[in-house]
Amino acid sequence: MTQVLVFFEELGAELSISQQELLTLAGQLGEISVVTTSAEPSPALAVQGIGSVYAPQADVPPGDPALADLLAEAAAQAAPDLVLGADTADATDALARLAVRLEAGLITSAESIEGTTVTKSVLAGAYTTSAQPVGGPLIATLRPNSVPAAVQPGSLPQITTLPVSPSGAVELLEETELPSTGRPALSEARVVVAGGRGVEGDFSLVEQLADELGGAVGASRAATDAGWIDHSAQVGQTGVIVSPQLYISVGISGAVQQKAGMQTSGTIVAINKDEDAPVFEIADFGIVGDLTEVIPQAIEELRARRQS
Amino acid sequence: MPALHIITLVKWVPDAQLERGFTAQRRIDRTEGILGELDEHPLEAALQISESLSDRQVRVSALTIGPAGASAALKKALQIGADDGYHLTDDALAGADVSATSAAAAAAIQHVRSLAGLDAEYLVLTGMASEDGETGAVPAQLAQRLGVPALTQATALGIDGARLSVTRTAGTRQQKLACALPAVVSVTDQANEPRYPNFRAIMKARKKPVTTFSLAETGLDAAAVQPKVQLLSAAPRPAREPGEIIHDDGTAGRQLVDFLQKERLL
């Protein structure tokens, strides 16, 4: 049976969607064990299918060289064929260290995994590649929205404390929770509504449409650079790469950098008053029109249909 | 205080504004390139640190790994303000994956330190990701090989005495981390606004030294940079077909909802 070791770089009161997707894929591929940076893993790990959980003696901070020891110790116990993590900086960094330690191959942003063959998008979504490791276990991060999350609650698995402590080299001086928008995380949302230059500084309609659809709010670089919305909302090659089921582009012309961040979305809808906007070349449904008229009507229609 | 040697990794990448592709050997086509836009941010960060430590000797070096054309990236880095440039070029590095790149970079950094001959602490700065490989995994692998911390995705950084501090965003949390040098830090495009080289800087850059070296000179052989990942196929994503485009006749909002319903997206 294939052994899959899943790495969680953080563990809140509940599993994130990405973490649920990781466990779902791991369960499809084989038997699951989990390793966390948290010395006292939360009850969020009470999920069916997790055989064992490995934890350090004390919390290991991001950037600490001891992350390699933690993962290598867990790998020595679990003897994994695959080590999986989320497509985040912290998971990538820890798995990157493990790959050096095990002299194994690392593949980031996987979209599907069969055996040890990984398929992913490269060059900002322009190409699809398949690759496999040369010897050693496969170490990979999984792009959000690649697998439909399906985890079942279970009992809390046995927790094994490994003889690993933080090295002391890295000190976590401060940690503050960023203000919550109450919306799903942009990188893992199933619906994204994104605004650009065309919103002319006012994101309220974009936000209302996102809320009506239960989606996240994104933005083009022009909009974040103008200070209309926080940088964390930026979709594109230097921002967040998204691949939702539905992406609605509002007042964004669709320059290369922006397209790079969203062109693997399931369905793309574009609203723009300029009929020559490049975004219409990749839109499944395009509306040439004034967003201040189109969006309120769409919201009204969505509400009406929900009531009927 | 000892001198500080900031080594900034810069990469010559295919221009993301143009069409990019693969060669018949399934390697990214590198016949043309530019200094990666994201690599200007660590350079700017290095220069700002240097300027903030007026009482300390600071050397800012730019290091690139790549084919002959990559010297263009070094030239730009020197114009922006690096003091000297180093270029590791070797045919054995064609098609390097994350593992091969980080192994070569670690050896190159030690080589650059010995060539520089400074009795200095060192700090390695990189961009947040390369614009072609896009893994963002090289800084952590490099740090692992050097045996030092990796503080990645910095939105702000500074050196205060012997300590380096970094502000970064991790998921839904903002963190401030600190460590002693040496360290590897990847710098995001939020950390600063890179300066444009003026005419004087461009003229000055012509006199700055550039040292080119091979893998063997760093003490590595080709076996140490064997990729750990084998690319089986690389195919262009089928172009997205444009769908239905309508002009708003006063009912576009309702037609949008019709479309979403038909596509089962509600």
Side-chain angles (χ1 to χ4, degrees):
Chain A
M1 184 89 183
T2 303
Q3 295 296 322
V4 187
L5 177 62
V6 178
F7 172 65
F8 285 160
E9 75 278 20
E10 60 175 345
L11 205 48
E14 288 174 25
L15 296 177
S16 70
I17 301 283
S18 296
Q19 289 175 329
Q20 294 178 37
E21 289 172 357
L22 278 170
L23 291 175
T24 305
L25 178 65
Q28 289 166 3
L29 294 168
E31 285 176 358
I32 314 170
S33 49
V34 169
V35 54
T36 84
T37 56
S38 165
E40 288 176 25
S42 79
L45 287 177
V47 164
Q48 276 182 29
I50 300 180
S52 27
V53 174
Y54 301 101
Q57 286 177 325
D59 292 2
V60 180
D64 192 330
L67 288 163
D69 304 329
L70 174 67
L71 280 154
E73 281 287 337
Q77 301 259 345
D81 304 287
L82 260 96
V83 185
L84 291 180
D87 203 13
T88 61
D90 286 359
T92 301
D93 290 350
L95 294 186
R97 283 184 181 274
L98 177 69
V100 170
R101 179 68 69 87
L102 299 184
E103 298 187 10
L106 170 72
I107 303 177
T108 58
S109 307
E111 286 162 30
S112 73
I113 299 175
E114 278 176 48
T116 56
T117 301
V118 175
T119 305
K120 65 177 280 191
S121 296
V122 299
L123 295 179
Y127 276 73
T128 303
T129 61
S130 65
Q132 63 185 28
V134 184
L138 168 65
I139 304 179
T141 66
L142 182 68
R143 199 180 70 167
N145 273 330
S146 297
V147 179
V151 294
Q152 303 297 327
S155 53
L156 196 62
Q158 177 80 33
I159 292 168
T160 305
T161 301
L162 301 171
V164 176
S165 301
S167 71
V170 178
E171 206 181 336
L172 182 58
L173 299 177
E174 277 173 41
E175 190 165 43
T176 47
E177 196 71 27
L178 293 168
S180 168
T181 58
R183 300 190 181 99
L186 182 56
S187 60
E188 55 187 44
R190 303 208 164 270
V191 176
V192 171
V193 184
R197 211 184 289 275
V199 308
E200 295 176 359
D202 182 1
F203 261 78
S204 57
L205 286 173
V206 169
E207 289 171 349
Q208 285 170 37
L209 182 57
D211 290 342
E212 207 58 41
L213 295 166
V217 172
S220 70
R221 186 162 177 178
T224 56
D225 281 354
W228 297 343
I229 186 163
D230 188 73
H231 167 75
S232 59
Q234 188 194 314
V235 172
Q237 198 170 15
T238 63
V240 180
I241 308 276
V242 299
S243 192
Q245 287 174 356
L246 171 62
Y247 183 91
I248 303 183
S249 158
V250 179
I252 300 177
S253 67
V256 177
Q257 292 275 340
Q258 217 277 327
K259 261 204 274 202
M262 47 68 90
Q263 64 181 339
T264 61
S265 301
T267 299
I268 297 175
V269 170
I271 304 170
N272 202 299
K273 64 184 177 195
D274 173 12
E275 65 179 333
D276 295 324
V279 70
F280 287 126
E281 293 164 16
I282 59 166
D284 299 293
F285 187 69
I287 297 172
V288 182
D290 183 344
L291 66 97
T292 62
E293 289 170 17
V294 176
I295 295 180
Q297 188 183 70
I299 290 172
E300 195 182 317
E301 186 68 17
L302 284 165
R303 287 181 184 158
R305 290 196 193 188
R306 202 155 294 149
Q307 274 161 13
S308 62
Chain B
M1 293 293 287
L4 174 64
H5 192 184
I6 306 178
I7 300 169
T8 305
L9 296 190
V10 297
K11 191 172 181 186
W12 188 62
V13 296
D15 190 341
Q17 301 295 334
L18 306 176
E19 195 156 316
R20 299 179 291 177
F22 283 80
T23 65
Q25 290 79 40
R26 294 191 298 276
R27 289 173 181 161
I28 290 175
D29 185 345
R30 299 186 184 282
T31 43
E32 287 183 62
I34 55 167
L35 168 65
E37 198 189 317
L38 294 173
D39 291 344
E40 295 185 19
H41 299 276
L43 269 173
E44 177 62 35
L47 297 172
Q48 288 184 12
I49 288 173
S50 172
E51 287 155 6
S52 75
L53 300 174
S54 51
D55 55 342
R56 202 168 164 186
Q57 187 200 347
V58 182
R59 170 94 59 96
V60 177
S61 297
L63 166 63
T64 195
I65 301 173
S71 60
L74 273 188
K75 188 174 158 191
K76 180 85 186 283
L78 296 175
Q79 290 174 351
I80 290 173
D83 297 312
D84 51 12
Y86 295 89
H87 184 176
L88 168 54
T89 186
D90 201 304
D91 290 342
L93 290 167
D97 67 341
V98 177
S99 170
T101 303
S102 65
I109 283 164
Q110 300 298 17
H111 187 61
V112 166
R113 291 183 61 221
S114 73
L115 286 177
L118 298 169
D119 184 19
E121 287 186 318
Y122 74 98
L123 169 64
V124 178
L125 298 184
T126 76
M128 60 194 285
S130 63
E131 279 130 309
D132 48 359
E134 298 171 329
T135 66
V138 169
Q141 287 218 332
L142 176 58
Q144 177 69 19
R145 294 183 192 280
L146 294 170
V148 304
L151 306 187
T152 59
Q153 307 294 319
T155 53
L157 68 159
I159 289 182
D160 185 9
R163 278 182 95 63
L164 165 79
S165 69
V166 158
T167 305
R168 67 196 293 269
T169 304
T172 59
R173 285 158 298 138
Q174 188 172 61
Q175 297 172 334
K176 195 168 180 188
L177 297 164
C179 69
L181 295 179
V184 176
V185 175
S186 75
V187 180
T188 70
D189 60 341
Q190 292 307 294
N192 53 47
E193 196 63 49
R195 62 195 69 183
Y196 284 105
N198 57 23
F199 179 71
R200 203 171 143 259
I202 290 170
M203 294 309 286
K204 208 173 145 191
R206 292 178 165 187
K207 297 201 180 74
K208 292 177 177 174
V210 172
T211 308
T212 301
F213 54 93
S214 68
L215 211 50
E217 288 172 74
T218 71
L220 285 190
D221 58 17
V225 293
Q226 281 300 307
K228 302 283 189 223
V229 172
Q230 183 188 11
L231 200 57
L232 304 173
S233 68
R237 174 179 292 277
R240 288 189 84 105
E241 296 292 323
E244 186 188 355
I245 310 290
I246 62 165
H247 285 72
D248 186 14
D249 59 358
T251 65
R254 283 194 286 279
Q255 290 189 61
L256 168 58
V257 179
D258 285 339
F259 172 80
L260 297 180
Q261 194 146 43
K262 184 179 68 142
E263 297 290 319
R264 300 174 184 276
L265 289 164
L266 294 181

